[in-house]
Amino acid sequence: MVIGGVVVSIPFIWMISSSFKPESEVLAIPPTLFPENPTLENYIKLFTTMNFAVYLKNTIIVVLCSFIGLLFNAMAGYGFAKYQFKGREKIFYLVLATMMIPGQVTMIPVYLLLNEMGLTNTMTGIVLPGLAVAFSIFLFRQFMTTIPNDLLEAARLDGAGEFYIFFRLVIPIAKPIFAVQGILTFIAGWNSFLWPLIIANDESLYTLSVGLSLLQGQYANNFALQMAGAAFMVVPIIIIFSFFQKYIVEGFTMSGIK
């Protein structure tokens, strides 16, 4: 397993190492695994020559808005788990059915709807479709069915309102599933590429993933700069996943996926 892990990690090590190499050293023969003359020039170019500062700001906005959507998904999951209303099961199965439809299939109708609303080429148009995620609603619903109804009824008897119960009682209990969903939401928002590319015509609205694709097109022969852009995209996700991967496993287990 150690040997397999080393083999798998070689491309990542090469990417990070090459991002600190001068352009001439990346293509040197024989190749060097670690830079002989380390430099931060490639990272400086990302923010001076390219608009990576703008791309980073847009990506952070997408991630933060995705966390707002995470709260909405938690509310929906709680509603499906603990409230009795007409058509509850049918609506929930309809939500599950949307998970079977590839996202590429719904992009055209969603684009047409946003175009009629005048939201194309806007940050609102980029973040709005991602606020509701069927898989997230499903996970929250599965977890929240395990919360005892007697606990909620006791809170209601003490005079607690529904929002008070949700924010002060349900959310603290649901910390494990919030942790795993928060990590998955961050990864999805950080890697957002196809939808921002479709909905945005202005480069000032592009995310890091779209900026990286532009980098590969404009600087196709500058492999050191490309490696710096790729490392800037990948390293935060690797760090977050390395620290919180136990919560991902725990969250899936406690959500009833067995």
Side-chain angles (χ1 to χ4, degrees):
M1 291 180 67
V2 172
I3 295 174
V6 171
V7 172
V8 170
S9 63
I10 287 177
F12 295 100
I13 296 174
W14 176 264
M15 175 187 67
I16 296 173
S17 155
S18 298
S19 69
F20 292 101
K21 295 178 182 178
E23 185 178 355
S24 57
E25 189 179 341
V26 174
L27 300 176
I29 301 297
T32 57
L33 181 58
F34 298 104
E36 296 179 353
N37 301 298
T39 177
L40 293 174
E41 181 182 1
N42 298 315
Y43 289 96
I44 295 174
K45 280 185 177 180
L46 289 179
F47 292 91
T48 55
T49 307
M50 302 288 292
N51 293 326
F52 261 64
V54 176
Y55 304 152
L56 176 61
K57 180 195 71 174
N58 294 335
T59 303
I60 292 175
I61 291 174
V62 171
V63 170
L64 292 178
C65 291
S66 298
F67 281 117
I68 296 175
L70 182 65
L71 180 62
F72 295 153
N73 295 329
M75 290 180 174
Y78 175 66
F80 281 122
K82 293 301 178 182
Y83 288 98
Q84 299 292 333
F85 54 89
K86 186 176 180 180
R88 184 185 71 163
E89 296 299 325
K90 293 180 180 179
I91 297 174
F92 180 66
Y93 290 143
L94 183 62
V95 172
L96 292 182
T98 62
M99 295 171 54
M100 305 177 189
I101 304 174
Q104 294 81 354
V105 174
T106 60
M107 280 184 178
I108 294 177
V110 172
Y111 180 89
L112 293 176
L113 287 172
L114 293 177
N115 188 48
E116 290 294 326
M117 298 168 64
L119 295 179
T120 54
N121 201 34
T122 64
M123 184 57 66
T124 303
I126 293 175
V127 302
L128 190 59
L131 293 183
V133 181
F135 184 65
S136 180
I137 294 173
F138 169 73
L139 285 184
F140 278 115
R141 187 259 187 186
Q142 292 298 98
F143 181 91
M144 290 176 179
T145 53
T146 63
I147 299 176
N149 292 327
D150 294 341
L151 183 63
L152 304 180
E153 290 299 329
R156 292 188 180 103
L157 290 175
D158 288 338
E162 296 303 320
F163 281 99
Y164 184 91
I165 292 173
F166 178 76
F167 285 102
R168 300 298 297 273
L169 186 62
V170 174
I171 288 183
I173 294 175
K175 280 183 179 179
I177 192 61
F178 268 98
V180 62
Q181 281 300 106
I183 296 166
L184 296 179
T185 298
F186 172 83
I187 293 174
W190 187 264
N191 289 335
S192 56
F193 169 73
L194 187 56
W195 181 247
L197 181 63
I198 292 173
I199 201 71
N201 300 322
D202 190 350
E203 189 177 344
S204 63
L205 295 173
Y206 286 168
T207 58
L208 282 173
S209 295
V210 180
L212 184 60
S213 69
L214 293 178
L215 179 65
Q216 294 173 345
Q218 297 176 11
Y219 297 88
N221 296 322
N222 192 336
F223 297 107
L225 189 62
Q226 292 184 47
M227 292 297 180
F232 188 77
M233 274 291 304
V234 173
V235 169
I237 295 178
I238 294 177
I239 293 174
I240 289 177
F241 185 82
S242 298
F243 278 101
F244 297 103
Q245 59 178 332
K246 64 178 182 179
Y247 295 107
I248 295 179
V249 176
E250 180 183 356
F252 278 124
T253 303
M254 296 185 69
S255 299
I257 302 179
K258 302 177 181 179

